[in-house]
Amino acid sequence: MTIKLYNTKTRSKEVFTPIEADRASMYVCGPTVYDRAHMGNARAVVVFDTLYRLLRHEFGADHVKYVRNFTDVDDKINARAAETGRAISDITEETIGWFLDDMGALGALEPTDAPRATNYIDQMIAMIEDLIAKGHAYAAEGHVLFKVRSYSDYGTLSGRSVDDMIAGARVEVAPYKDDPMDFVMWKPSSDDLPGWDSPWGRGRPGWHIECSAMAFDLLGGTFDIHGGGNDLTFPHHENEIAQSKCCGHDFANVWMHNEMLQVEGKKMSKSLGNFFTVRDLLDQGIAGEVIRFVMLSTHYRKPMDWTEKKRDEAEKTLRKWAQLVDGVSAGQADAKFIEFLSDDLNTSGAISRLHELASANERETLAGSLQMLGFELKAEAGVDLSELAAQLHSTRVAAMESKDFSQVDAMKAALAEAGVEVRMSKEGVELDAGPSFDASKLEGLS
Ligand code: AMP
Ligand code: ZN
């Protein structure tokens, strides 16, 4: 099937034509590892996991290379180590473990390669030396800077000119810079900070050079897709492009950017403090699939909010679908559903198609499509809430006669314990599974 993707570079939706006809390659900027991933970080992961799944569906699971890095050298990590007195490697190891667990809970597959920046310092140094030799960079006071004005296409990804950027951005003026636009590829480290020997003295890399070096090492000079959140377009991605192109690499053909997860109209971010982590929600009993479903209900190029209403609807839908596909062996993913996904990841369209399949009781196709989208739904072990509601109602009717309500009270307590909301009236009983619903606690009841 033809896949169309919106390319930030050309500002248009294009037919995706991979460099090699039968395979695809993708690089996505990964997390800086010093803290739990927040829900905004998770959006980027879920979006590109969905693209990865679509590419695997199209080209075969062994024909897609997906690289997502871990930034494990960064001043935010150094600051966290200084605050807590912990070793940097303890912090980064622990955070990488958390990240993989939390993203796994959201149904995200692990990429084919997950390089850590600190394992690619030699490649970064080699690239920086090459850029100096070619006249695109210079060393000054233990720093190496990229000479932005030496690359005439700088700014084309985000569609800004260098002069506009200087006017609009907070570019750092520093004594070692020839031009305020120039950005750091290498900086000196004092003895208490992580550092590596280099031709410019002991130091550490800047953030942008990491991605250029790791992408080159793992994917070569040219690859198909580069992804990340749209907060990275400028300066991070402009800088990656400048470094790689000036080394003579073609770099990425298609640039894809997800929009931000917001809180009351503002980007969710660590620096604004308006974030909650994926782990916060999982600990509240919200299932990973529910978070994934809410993320996918909005197209990746639109901003979105996480709301309780969306969570509630996702829970209801997934519970219904889980019952439908229970015990069904998954068939092929539905063709129309794949068509939606192939249209620049139209996930909301794909979900509306899943609703159609559910209404038409096409269980095998629904199961196969859900699986392809990363949902492994399990029906809640034989618990039918409508049956339990009828049972509670008749027990209550009998108790009104006998005036012995002990059995009714015991059932209500068991339901509450299992996270079910109970509403009773003369007409009947309504049971609603809440966010902490745990069906296993009801096994003795029916
Ligand atoms: P960071 O750790 O902040 O460098 O971000 C890691 C990844 O998460 C990048 O691809 C960011 O673009 C993405 N990201 C950060 N905040 C958000 C947000 N609020 N919504 C969506 N993606 C985000
Ligand atoms: Zn990057």
Side-chain angles (χ1 to χ4, degrees):
M1 183 163 320
T2 307
I3 295 178
K4 286 185 184 162
L5 301 173
Y6 183 87
N7 189 350
T8 308
K9 197 164 76 176
T10 58
R11 286 162 193 72
S12 61
K13 213 194 272 187
E14 298 170 345
V15 171
F16 174 58
T17 315
I19 295 159
E20 289 182 67
D22 66 340
R23 59 193 64 238
S25 53
M26 166 162 82
Y27 185 95
V28 175
C29 297
T32 304
V33 284
Y34 65 101
D35 207 351
R36 286 269 185 198
H38 63 63
M39 289 282 284
N41 304 137
R43 185 177 193 194
V45 172
V46 169
V47 163
F48 290 103
D49 178 66
T50 306
L51 177 58
Y52 179 42
R53 287 171 181 275
L54 177 67
L55 295 171
R56 283 161 60 104
H57 181 269
E58 177 73 15
F59 298 101
D62 298 334
H63 285 209
V64 185
K65 199 158 176 187
Y66 170 24
V67 180
R68 185 187 61 212
N69 68 293
F70 286 113
T71 297
D72 61 350
V73 47
D74 186 278
D75 288 346
K76 287 188 279 263
I77 306 174
N78 302 339
R80 183 57 57 97
E83 277 162 31
T84 57
R86 295 180 66 195
I88 284 178
S89 58
D90 281 357
I91 295 176
T92 55
E93 280 301 318
E94 179 180 60
T95 313
I96 288 172
W98 285 343
F99 183 85
L100 294 174
D101 281 354
D102 294 351
M103 297 308 127
L106 303 188
L109 300 170
E110 287 195 20
T112 47
D113 297 86
R116 299 176 187 201
T118 51
N119 291 334
Y120 289 80
I121 302 290
D122 288 347
Q123 289 88 330
M124 295 181 214
I125 291 175
M127 218 164 169
I128 296 170
E129 286 185 299
D130 191 26
L131 288 167
I132 294 176
K134 289 180 168 139
H136 292 291
Y138 56 94
E141 298 175 34
H143 294 73
V144 183
L145 292 121
F146 185 91
K147 221 186 271 182
V148 166
R149 291 192 196 265
S150 76
Y151 176 55
S152 59
D153 281 344
Y154 191 85
T156 49
L157 180 71
S158 47
R160 315 184 207 195
S161 73
V162 173
D163 293 319
D164 286 351
M165 283 185 266
I166 290 183
R170 283 167 289 145
V171 288
E172 198 192 347
V173 185
Y176 48 80
K177 284 188 181 180
D178 286 354
D179 183 320
M181 271 316 278
D182 296 347
F183 61 87
V184 170
M185 292 191 291
W186 190 264
K187 54 189 164 190
S189 287
S190 52
D191 289 345
D192 55 328
L193 289 176
W196 291 263
D197 289 332
S198 81
W200 319 287
R202 185 173 174 278
R204 61 195 192 282
W207 171 34
H208 318 296
I209 193 68
E210 281 178 21
C211 288
S212 286
M214 290 187 277
F216 180 54
D217 196 80
L218 292 161
L219 298 172
T222 171
F223 55 94
D224 294 312
I225 301 168
H226 191 310
N230 70 352
D231 55 336
L232 302 185
T233 316
F234 173 78
H236 184 54
H237 290 163
E238 293 287 6
N239 294 355
E240 283 187 28
I241 292 173
Q243 294 163 157
S244 295
K245 292 267 191 190
C246 291
C247 280
H249 310 155
D250 283 334
F251 213 42
N253 285 338
V254 182
W255 283 84
M256 292 180 68
H257 292 97
N258 62 278
E259 250 292 353
M260 293 292 102
L261 186 86
Q262 302 187 330
V263 182
E264 287 164 13
K266 288 210 175 72
K267 170 189 171 187
M268 175 180 282
S269 74
K270 295 240 167 73
S271 55
L272 289 173
N274 62 350
F275 67 93
F276 41 99
T277 67
V278 173
R279 183 49 52 182
D280 290 336
L281 292 191
L282 294 171
D283 285 348
Q284 286 166 31
I286 298 170
E289 295 89 57
V290 169
I291 300 174
R292 185 178 182 91
F293 189 91
V294 171
M295 297 278 187
L296 294 179
S297 335
T298 301
H299 189 250
Y300 77 94
R301 285 194 287 117
K302 292 197 183 116
M304 71 168 283
D305 276 308
W306 169 267
T307 65
E308 292 297 298
K309 184 162 173 272
K310 287 182 191 166
R311 191 216 67 206
D312 198 49
E313 277 167 13
E315 271 172 356
K316 288 197 175 112
T317 301
L318 290 175
R319 195 170 297 131
K320 201 167 68 190
W321 290 354
Q323 297 217 325
L324 267 180
V325 301
D326 190 30
V328 166
S329 56
Q332 294 276 334
D334 176 66
K336 262 196 190 162
F337 162 85
I338 296 290
E339 215 172 292
F340 276 116
L341 290 179
S342 304
D343 181 15
D344 191 33
L345 296 185
N346 182 355
T347 46
S348 49
I351 288 173
S352 63
R353 178 62 186 154
L354 295 179
H355 280 289
E356 283 177 10
L357 293 170
S359 305
N361 208 29
E362 298 204 25
R363 295 171 179 228
E364 284 85 6
T365 312
L366 177 64
S369 308
L370 278 167
Q371 208 171 60
M372 187 265 159
L373 200 54
F375 293 93
E376 299 286 346
L377 301 184
K378 283 181 198 67
E380 285 124 4
V383 173
D384 183 341
L385 284 182
S386 59
E387 207 172 277
L388 273 179
Q391 199 183 323
L392 178 55
H393 183 61
S394 56
T395 310
R396 183 165 180 266
V397 170
M400 307 264 253
E401 289 278 309
S402 67
K403 306 283 180 228
D404 174 7
F405 284 89
S406 58
Q407 230 183 317
V408 174
D409 291 341
M411 275 186 87
K412 272 168 64 184
L415 286 161
E417 173 65 26
V420 181
E421 213 180 286
V422 183
R423 279 187 298 277
M424 297 202 296
S425 69
K426 273 196 215 101
E427 287 73 43
V429 170
E430 258 183 70
L431 298 180
D432 245 329
S436 59
F437 180 54
D438 179 356
S440 66
K441 292 193 175 147
L442 292 177
E443 270 160 23
L445 265 190
S446 43

